[in-house]
Amino acid sequence: MIKELVIKTPLGDVKGKFSSYGGMFLGVPYAEKPIGNLQFKAPVKKNSWPDVLDCTHLPKDPIQHPMNPLTCSEDCLYLNIYIPSSVLTYGALPVMVWLYGGSYVHGGCSGSFKHGKDGLYDARKLADEGNCIVVTVNYRLGAYGFLYLSEFSSDFESNLGLKDCEMALRWIKENISSYGGNPDNVTLWGQSAGGALTMAMMCVESAKDLFHKAIVQSACMESFYSKEEAKAVATEFLARLNLTPDQVELIKTVDYMKLTRQIDGMDDFVRKTKFGICTINPVVDGEYLREFPSLSKFEELGKPLLIGSNKDEAHVFARVMKKVDGKECLKRIFPYKSEDYRNRVLERHSSKPKVVDYCDIAGEIMYHIPKIRVAKAMSKQNPVYVYRFDYAPWLFRLMGYDACHVAEMPLLFDNMHPWFSMPLYFGDSSNASNIGKRMRRYWTNFVWTSNPNVGVKNEISDLVEWLPYTEEKRNYMVFNKIDEAQVGIDDMLEQIFENETHFFVPNNQ
């Protein structure tokens, strides 16, 4: 039975709803509406409200393409708070802050698209099983969140989606105690673009003290632009609106449907030269974001890290790579490498390459190699736990997706409803459910203690022991029907890509 409850917070009274799973406060504003004079500007701290704020319904997702105009809005800077039923038992609980993926151009903290009325990111089960508070955060997307327009006019600011994430973290630090959370035990957590934003937050000086641990899943850490690249993409974007950089102010008058539809053409523009990087990306501007996360040494950061990727990440991108021949595909995967270098890499994969081989190479440089580089850098001064997700139900294997990008997400959130009317876990639902339950325990143990093996009140779990990753002992946890601790499973990749650091910056600059 669902009941409503009003609590007092520093900003005003808030009405949420409670059930046997615990509580939910949905659509809590963490910043002022980014509309009117605040459009294309950094987020502004939320003012208080006089009346009881109704937070019993999911907020609208950010403007994006494709989208349902009824479920998306520029007024999108909201978060959802999921509170376990144990909140009165354990006192101030650790906090998990979720940043969704979507290539910086689509997504939302509800994850509602094709995933039922409660969305893919319904975190009630995760919060209740792990005895922690889960906060899912909206941030601006596409042109509204990441298009680099500040180069053309001071009326625009850069990295707005990234700054939204920082503002949400700041809100949590100041307000989460009212919801039963511990502001001194916050774990920032994201997948894909959300994982890359999590890594970026560790490189933003003003954000470093707002969270204490990080969980990074399948992060596209190559997907950041230099100022020059971001400027070129922004110039092309404006041209597709029949605008010049001198007319950038007019972008504010463009209908949001027309604005977001440019993403399809921009995808084609970027993919003509590069596979393996998002189209609209955060920019390393040297001011707010000073360095590429994949190149950072993370010195004196002091943050435990849980990081991993899926075995067959890029198999889901095969339909894109099928459109070009193998030689051209390899050229776009390695836009700044010589033909001799490309051929040497390909020869180490297959003598008779198929589309899947090109997908595997793209997945390696997009997800696996950056993961290894970050794990090595951070493990010198921080506890680091590394995983690989290998599980693929038989329908995934039949369709050639295997353990692809995003495959772990329905398991982790325990939301395996049919996607796009396809029962993807038919015949495998029991295995998938058990894997998800174990992963939730590892994740929430880490949130409580910085160690995936030790949980609430320092209780040792009965899971397979997950040893920390070091340069000397490259420990992994492999998730499948049976979890398995392994050592050095990416050593061959390191030999293939020895000393490589960043594949999408000219001359590794």
Side-chain angles (χ1 to χ4, degrees):
M1 181 177 179
I2 296 177
K3 300 179 180 179
E4 293 183 345
L5 177 69
V6 175
I7 65 170
K8 293 186 178 298
T9 79
L11 294 174
D13 292 350
V14 181
K15 181 173 68 175
K17 51 187 180 181
F18 278 72
S19 67
S20 58
Y21 271 115
M24 292 185 292
F25 292 88
L26 307 175
V28 181
Y30 69 84
E32 294 296 334
K33 299 176 182 180
I35 59 178
N37 292 333
L38 297 182
Q39 188 185 56
F40 295 106
K41 296 285 190 180
V44 173
K45 187 174 181 179
K46 179 64 182 176
N47 289 323
S48 59
W49 48 82
D51 303 316
V52 175
L53 188 67
D54 186 353
C55 291
T56 59
H57 303 282
L58 287 168
K60 290 189 176 182
D61 290 332
I63 293 292
Q64 56 196 278
H65 176 72
M67 70 175 172
N68 180 344
L70 298 178
T71 61
C72 294
S73 173
E74 274 195 82
D75 176 16
C76 63
L77 299 186
Y78 298 87
L79 47 80
N80 304 318
I81 304 171
Y82 298 87
I83 302 172
S85 56
S86 61
V87 66
L88 298 178
T89 302
Y90 294 107
L93 298 176
V95 182
M96 301 176 75
V97 182
W98 170 248
L99 304 180
Y100 52 81
S103 304
Y104 307 117
V105 294
H106 54 83
C109 67
S110 67
S112 59
F113 182 58
K114 295 290 184 181
H115 299 293
K117 65 182 180 65
D118 296 317
L120 174 59
Y121 306 135
D122 177 3
R124 284 176 289 181
K125 178 69 73 70
L126 182 64
D128 198 51
E129 287 183 4
N131 298 297
C132 58
I133 288 176
V134 182
V135 181
T136 63
V137 176
N138 265 354
Y139 57 87
R140 281 172 283 181
L141 298 167
Y144 293 100
F146 295 101
L147 192 63
Y148 186 52
L149 301 174
S150 59
E151 185 76 9
F152 307 132
S153 169
S154 59
D155 284 344
F156 296 82
E157 297 182 47
S158 62
N159 288 320
L160 299 180
L162 189 56
K163 291 173 181 177
D164 292 343
C165 297
E166 180 183 351
M167 179 61 76
L169 286 169
R170 199 167 297 283
W171 184 96
I172 289 165
K173 183 179 181 65
E174 296 173 358
N175 295 278
I176 202 63
S177 59
S178 298
Y179 300 83
N182 182 357
D184 296 320
N185 189 357
V186 174
T187 300
L188 188 58
W189 166 42
Q191 183 266 348
S192 193
L197 291 173
T198 298
M199 295 304 307
M201 282 283 97
M202 291 196 275
C203 300
V204 173
E205 196 62 37
S206 56
K208 289 179 179 179
D209 293 334
L210 300 177
F211 63 104
H212 312 92
K213 290 171 271 221
I215 299 176
V216 176
Q217 298 176 217
S218 301
C220 49
M221 278 183 276
E222 295 284 308
S223 286
F224 291 84
Y225 281 146
S226 66
K227 290 174 68 173
E228 293 75 18
E229 291 172 308
K231 181 179 179 181
V233 168
T235 300
E236 175 67 20
F237 193 100
L238 291 172
R240 289 170 181 270
L241 296 170
N242 296 316
L243 299 175
T244 67
D246 291 339
Q247 298 171 307
V248 66
E249 294 286 344
L250 295 178
I251 198 173
K252 297 177 181 179
T253 67
V254 177
D255 176 77
Y256 68 84
M257 293 292 284
K258 181 180 180 180
L259 193 67
T260 55
R261 280 198 296 268
Q262 305 310 312
I263 293 298
D264 284 342
M266 290 302 300
D267 284 345
D268 293 338
F269 172 75
V270 171
R271 289 172 185 165
K272 283 181 179 178
T273 56
K274 295 178 182 178
F275 282 158
I277 192 169
C278 298
T279 298
I280 308 292
N281 293 296
V283 56
V284 180
D285 56 11
E287 298 173 4
Y288 184 72
L289 183 57
R290 298 181 182 180
E291 59 183 342
F292 287 90
S294 58
L295 300 178
S296 178
K297 295 180 179 178
F298 301 104
E299 293 178 335
E300 300 179 2
L301 187 63
K303 296 188 191 301
L305 174 69
L306 191 157
I307 187 170
S309 55
N310 296 355
K311 182 175 180 291
D312 308 300
E313 291 276 6
H315 284 197
V316 75
F317 306 140
R319 60 181 178 82
V320 175
M321 296 187 179
K322 285 180 180 178
K323 297 178 180 179
V324 298
D325 65 39
K327 186 175 181 179
E328 177 63 21
C329 184
L330 203 61
K331 183 178 179 181
R332 296 185 194 185
I333 293 173
F334 296 108
Y336 301 116
K337 299 296 183 183
S338 68
E339 184 174 359
D340 180 62
Y341 177 94
R342 298 172 196 139
N343 290 334
R344 289 200 311 270
V345 170
L346 185 59
E347 287 169 2
R348 291 170 182 169
H349 280 76
S350 175
S351 59
K352 297 181 178 180
K354 301 178 181 178
V355 172
V356 69
D357 296 301
Y358 297 105
C359 290
D360 285 337
I361 293 171
E364 288 161 5
I365 68 169
M366 290 168 69
Y367 304 103
H368 300 310
I369 292 298
K371 171 193 72 180
I372 295 168
R373 298 292 181 249
V374 167
K376 276 190 173 183
M378 287 200 65
S379 66
K380 293 177 181 178
Q381 301 182 52
N382 310 273
V384 174
Y385 296 88
V386 181
Y387 75 86
R388 192 179 74 189
F389 181 85
D390 284 19
Y391 173 70
W394 72 270
L395 269 175
F396 279 57
R397 299 193 300 273
L398 180 66
M399 293 185 292
Y401 290 162
D402 302 310
C404 65
H405 196 59
V406 190
E408 84 283 18
M409 294 311 303
L411 281 63
L412 192 52
F413 278 91
D414 192 40
N415 186 339
M416 291 177 285
H417 298 303
W419 288 22
F420 305 100
S421 301
M422 296 184 66
L424 295 180
Y425 298 93
F426 179 76
D428 281 289
S429 59
S430 179
N431 286 322
S433 179
N434 288 332
I435 295 168
K437 187 171 184 177
R438 295 195 302 270
M439 291 179 71
R440 288 193 295 276
R441 288 182 64 192
Y442 282 120
W443 266 229
T444 54
N445 282 351
F446 178 82
V447 166
W448 269 93
T449 67
S450 304
N451 182 338
N453 306 292
V454 182
V456 181
K457 300 293 183 180
N458 292 314
E459 297 168 352
I460 304 295
S461 72
D462 57 354
L463 300 171
V464 175
E465 185 179 9
W466 188 348
L467 297 174
Y469 181 102
T470 66
E471 200 160 359
E472 296 74 30
K473 195 68 177 294
R474 298 171 302 285
N475 293 302
Y476 287 72
M477 181 60 68
V478 177
F479 293 113
N480 210 322
K481 293 179 182 179
I482 298 175
D483 301 336
E484 185 177 356
Q486 296 189 24
V487 179
I489 60 176
D490 282 331
D491 285 358
M492 182 63 71
L493 283 184
E494 290 208 76
Q495 293 174 21
I496 293 174
F497 299 108
E498 185 177 6
N499 299 321
E500 294 293 348
T501 52
H502 202 298
F503 295 95
F504 292 104
V505 175
N507 300 318
N508 284 343
Q509 296 299 310

